[in-house]
């Protein structure tokens, strides 16, 4: 299983704070998970944003980060202050 977490406005827009996805060898990277979620259409398109940030097992990483069964993945927008 891959545990997926959504934070900030992503959580609000999607109406869910997280979910579990069945592990599959096709989910080799965080980007593979993102593309799977994007294929749902509709509001899930927000995960196509240029400034998307992600983490694997609570460490910031890029979308090219490899995944393994049991990993936790998080998607969140960049944080800006002012």
């Amino acid at each position: 299983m891959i545990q997926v977490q959504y934070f900030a406005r992503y959580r609000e827009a999607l109406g869910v704070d997280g979910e579990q996805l069945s592990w599959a060898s096709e989910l080799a990277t965080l980007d593979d998970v993102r593309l799977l979620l994007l294929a749902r259409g509709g509001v899930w398109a927000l995960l196509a944003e240029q400034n998307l940030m992600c983490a694997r097992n609570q460490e910031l990483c890029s979308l090219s980060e490899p995944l393994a069964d049991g990993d936790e993945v998080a998607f969140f927008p960049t944080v800006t202050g002012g």
Side-chain angles (χ1 to χ4, degrees):
M1 292 295 243
I2 300 290
Q3 180 66 39
V4 184
Q5 301 292 324
Y6 309 103
F7 292 97
R9 65 182 175 81
Y10 291 173
R11 177 180 58 216
E12 294 168 14
L14 298 171
V16 62
D17 60 358
E19 64 182 293
Q20 290 186 346
L21 300 176
S22 295
W23 170 249
S25 60
E26 297 82 30
L27 300 177
T29 67
L30 266 76
D31 198 41
D32 292 332
V33 172
R34 185 184 69 90
L35 293 171
L36 176 73
L37 298 169
L38 281 171
R40 293 176 175 175
V43 70
W44 293 93
L46 65 87
L47 295 178
E49 292 181 342
Q50 290 285 9
N51 296 333
L52 172 94
M53 295 185 68
C54 56
R56 175 182 170 243
N57 299 328
Q58 301 180 6
E59 292 189 27
L60 290 176
C61 63
S62 72
L63 288 169
S64 63
E65 182 77 12
L67 291 180
D69 191 13
D71 281 348
E72 178 187 73
V73 171
F75 293 110
F76 47 97
T78 56
V79 179
T80 60

